[in-house]
């Protein structure tokens, strides 16, 4: 069941993703998909099918045609719902269940704006549809600690936590999940993965796109809530966690939450907020808006593994390049016995491990090698693993597809837990209470120059792509 079936996320990601799962044979043998939206946006079954066809044609990886499409299309139906007028929805769900037969499992996906969220949850409770069902909840999970708590208790009044799947699509990206494999399936990297060997970590998601007309959403949110409290902090959880006792939802999420608990509440003095010039002139934006379209910050993790190792996080809109990169900078060897030229040229970052988690993704180990020639001259060298050149699988799933599949299978490993979310809002609180003023920056630039002093003596640095 898809709430928000006429919305942007459903059109861009969810309907094309469901079709891709169907085509890959990853949906259950018998299934039905019921779309829903408020009565004002109600569609007939036929209209919903046409809507899905257009969405798949525009955003899907395969075109909506052939037997696979016909079968998928036949599974779609629509039931509008408003508080107090739930009959069309309940009827559509009952009919879909009759068509599936047996005792079908229900999965609700709430792709609705935050304001609609609680009323949909209550509606599912009141109609009895929530009974034995699972629910996928979209971000944002609140805007501060109080609202996150309120949201969590509204959800938990209707659904047991073991049935709640809070989506953060970064955790569904192949190359992000691979961080767990890289760290815990190999003897090569994990021994280095601590304060003894790593001097700093950079988590960087600059975006080239601007707010793309999403003023209404963005004005009330800003980059810190949109990208950092969600995606970047979740990613940090994977990079910084201790080895879980098993690769199962509970131990994995316990370790993630332990990282969040070790994160020092943010110091506004270690945060740079920026806003691209021209943002205030965007339609729907307050001409005096203080909303940030860029944020860079330092996170400290007060535990034995990471004490003293700064984690620098950055994200922003309308920047020079779009990237998804985690860089682990390694400490220098204890003694320098080589001519210093190359090391100096490498700007103190001669050794680093770079995880590029943009699709398809790569991992690069950067080190110094002897340049061929009569003298001992060092030069930077790379060892590169690239997904595309190493694997030729047809099964690659997009982040959303991967996560929807996991929710269908009932595996919560890649979904965020209520205590984790609430802790992250606690960490964020000092910044939300006293945000530094936004600094303007030029679209297409790398953001405010003030970030240089934020990371000193290190430097912001994005390795080249592989
Ligand atoms: C979304 C944010 O969650 O993630 C967007 O709301 C952002 O503002 C997007 O652009 C980035 O996702 P990705 O997968 O393209 O990096």
């Amino acid at each position: 069941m898809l709430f928000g079936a006429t919305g942007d996320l459903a059109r861009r990601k969810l309907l094309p993703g469901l079709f891709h799962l169907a085509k890959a044979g990853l949906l259950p043998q018998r299934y039905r998909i019921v779309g829903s939206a408020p009565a004002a946006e109600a569609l007939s079954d036929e209209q919903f099918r046409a809507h899905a066809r257009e969405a798949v044609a525009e955003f899907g990886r395969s075109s909506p045609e052939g037997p696979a499409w016909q079968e998928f299309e036949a599974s779609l139906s629509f039931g509008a719902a408003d508080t107090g007028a739930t009959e069309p929805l309940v009827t559509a769900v009952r009919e879909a269940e009759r068509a599936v037969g047996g005792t079908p499992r229900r999965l609700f996906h709430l792709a609705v704006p935050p304001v609609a969220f609680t009323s949909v949850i209550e509606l599912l409770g009141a109609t009895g549809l929530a009974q034995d069902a699972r629910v996928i909840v979209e971000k944002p999970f609140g805007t501060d600690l109080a609202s996150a708590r309120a949201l969590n208790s509204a959800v938990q009044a209707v659904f047991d936590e073991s049935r709640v799947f809070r989506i953060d699509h970064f955790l569904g990206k192949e190359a992000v999940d691979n961080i767990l494999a890289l760290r815990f399936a190999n003897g090569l990297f994990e021994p280095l993965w601590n304060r003894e060997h790593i001097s700093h970590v950079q988590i960087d998601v600059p975006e080239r796109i601007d707010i793309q007309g999403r003023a209404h959403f963005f004005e009330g949110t800003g980059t810190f809530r949109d990208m950092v409290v969600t995606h970047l902090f979740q990613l940090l959880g994977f990079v910084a966690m201790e080895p879980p006792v098993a690769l199962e939802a509970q131990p994995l999420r316990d370790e993630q939450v332990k990282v969040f608990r070790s994160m020092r509440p943010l110091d506004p003095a270690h945060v740079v907020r920026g806003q691209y010039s021209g943002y205030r002139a965007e339609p729907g934006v307050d001409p005096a808006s203080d909303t940030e379209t860029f944020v860079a910050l330092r996170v400290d993790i007060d535990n034995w593994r990471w004490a003293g190792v700064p984690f620098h996080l950055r994200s922003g809109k309308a920047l020079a390049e779009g990237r998804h990169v985690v860089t682990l900078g390694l400490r220098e060897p204890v003694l320098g016995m080589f001519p210093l030229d190359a090391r100096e040229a490498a700007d103190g970052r001669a050794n680093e491990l770079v995880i590029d988690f943009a699709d398809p993704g790569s991992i690069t180990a950067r080190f110094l090698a002897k340049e061929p020639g009569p003298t001992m001259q060092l030069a930077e060298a790379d060892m590169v693993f690239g997904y595309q050149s190493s694997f030729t699988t047809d099964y690659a799933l997009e982040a959303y597809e991967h996560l929807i599949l996991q929710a269908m299978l009932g595996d919560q490993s890649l979904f965020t837990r209520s205590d984790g979310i609430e802790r992250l809002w606690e960490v964020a609180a000092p910044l939300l209470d006293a945000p530094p003023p936004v600094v303007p920056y030029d679209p297409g630039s790398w953001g405010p120059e003030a970030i240089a002093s934020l990371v000193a003596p290190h430097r912001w640095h994005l390795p080249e792509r592989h």
Side-chain angles (χ1 to χ4, degrees):
M1 240 317 333
L2 179 54
F3 282 91
T6 52
D8 203 46
L9 184 65
R11 206 163 58 89
R12 284 173 188 274
K13 296 282 181 196
L14 307 181
L15 290 165
L18 284 164
F19 177 51
H20 188 250
L21 287 174
K23 244 193 127 170
L26 292 170
L27 290 187
Q29 234 175 9
R30 284 172 299 156
Y31 68 92
R32 287 288 179 276
I33 299 168
V34 181
S36 188
E41 294 166 33
L43 302 178
S44 67
D45 290 354
E46 266 324 302
Q47 285 170 323
F48 181 45
R49 288 174 187 157
H51 174 77
R53 196 178 313 121
E54 277 163 30
V56 172
E58 191 174 355
F59 298 104
R61 279 180 282 168
S62 39
S63 51
E65 52 196 25
W69 173 255
Q70 279 155 15
E71 195 180 313
F72 180 75
E73 189 177 45
S75 78
L76 302 175
S77 60
F78 197 88
D82 283 312
T83 310
T86 54
E87 216 189 296
L89 173 70
V90 176
T91 310
V93 173
R94 301 275 179 239
E95 272 174 20
E97 292 190 335
R98 217 167 298 130
V100 171
T103 341
R105 277 173 314 186
R106 284 183 209 140
L107 173 63
F108 298 104
H109 193 139
L110 269 55
V112 297
V115 283
F117 188 81
T118 310
S119 59
V120 175
I121 292 282
E122 285 168 2
L123 179 155
L124 292 174
T127 51
L129 291 175
Q131 181 89 36
D132 298 330
R134 297 184 187 135
V135 65
I136 299 180
V137 179
E138 280 295 333
K139 64 156 219 153
F141 313 109
T143 50
D144 56 16
L145 180 58
S147 57
R149 277 189 179 146
L151 218 61
N152 278 333
S153 48
V155 176
Q156 286 164 346
V158 175
F159 291 93
D160 186 77
E161 179 68 19
S162 65
R163 297 182 174 275
V164 182
F165 294 75
R166 293 177 193 79
I167 266 199
D168 185 299
H169 80 277
F170 269 41
L171 294 189
K173 290 177 187 275
E174 274 296 344
V176 173
D177 296 348
N178 190 47
I179 294 174
L180 299 179
L182 179 79
R183 292 190 55 195
F184 305 132
N186 299 294
L188 182 58
F189 305 104
E190 194 54 22
L192 299 175
W193 214 271
N194 57 56
R195 62 189 305 280
E196 296 297 321
H197 301 284
I198 292 175
S199 62
H200 64 289
V201 179
Q202 189 179 314
I203 301 182
D204 219 351
V205 186
E207 295 186 282
R208 204 195 287 264
I209 53 170
D210 58 19
I211 59 161
Q212 297 187 302
R214 296 195 302 160
H216 179 65
F217 162 74
F218 207 80
E219 268 289 89
T221 309
T223 296
F224 177 68
R225 288 185 171 98
D226 184 35
M227 294 296 288
V228 178
V229 187
T230 51
H231 307 319
L232 271 57
F233 280 175
Q234 293 297 333
L235 195 58
L236 182 146
F238 271 25
V239 174
M241 70 163 64
E242 296 299 318
V245 292
L247 270 187
E248 291 160 10
Q250 177 163 350
L252 196 68
R253 301 199 301 173
D254 284 349
E255 294 307 333
Q256 212 180 0
V257 173
K258 267 159 68 181
V259 174
F260 300 158
R261 293 181 66 88
S262 312
M263 283 164 70
R264 199 181 299 166
L266 298 180
D267 178 351
H270 291 152
V271 179
V272 174
R273 293 168 74 239
Q275 187 186 71
Y276 64 80
S277 309
Y279 172 74
R280 292 179 184 180
E282 299 251 11
V285 171
D286 176 356
S289 173
D290 181 51
T291 301
E292 78 284 347
T293 60
F294 171 100
V295 68
L297 62 151
R298 171 189 166 127
V299 174
D300 288 279
I301 302 179
D302 292 331
N303 66 17
W304 283 52
R305 183 184 287 261
W306 296 115
V309 178
F311 281 65
H312 296 128
L313 277 48
R314 166 171 75 172
S315 187
K317 303 280 187 207
L319 294 177
E321 247 186 275
R323 297 291 300 273
H324 297 75
V325 187
V326 178
T327 308
L328 295 103
L330 282 109
R331 294 191 192 284
E332 298 281 302
V334 282
L335 282 179
M337 58 176 80
F338 291 88
L340 283 178
D341 325 6
R343 195 177 304 284
E344 276 169 1
D347 211 6
R349 45 182 171 74
N351 286 178
E352 57 189 18
L353 193 64
V354 179
I355 301 168
D356 190 325
F357 62 98
D359 278 339
S362 64
I363 298 173
T364 306
R366 160 154 295 201
F367 59 104
L368 295 176
K370 178 184 174 298
E371 212 172 353
T375 56
M376 178 54 86
Q377 199 64 38
L378 298 181
E380 291 177 32
D382 285 345
M383 286 193 287
V384 183
F385 153 77
Y387 278 82
Q388 225 155 25
S389 47
S390 299
F391 298 119
T392 51
T393 169
D394 288 337
Y395 292 103
L397 297 179
E398 262 212 328
Y400 264 104
E401 297 164 3
H402 186 183
L403 292 173
I404 292 172
L405 181 63
Q406 295 306 310
M408 285 193 295
L409 297 171
D411 186 341
Q412 292 181 302
S413 302
L414 300 177
F415 296 85
T416 57
R417 213 166 63 185
S418 57
D419 52 344
I421 296 286
E422 290 179 17
R423 172 60 192 165
L424 289 179
W425 285 117
E426 253 167 35
V427 169
L431 177 62
L432 297 177
D433 291 345
V438 289
V439 182
Y441 64 94
D442 289 336
S445 71
W446 279 112
E449 276 163 21
I451 65 165
S453 47
L454 178 74
V455 299
H458 306 291
R459 295 214 331 175
W460 284 105
H461 137 75
L462 267 178
E464 56 275 17
R465 290 171 202 264
H466 281 287

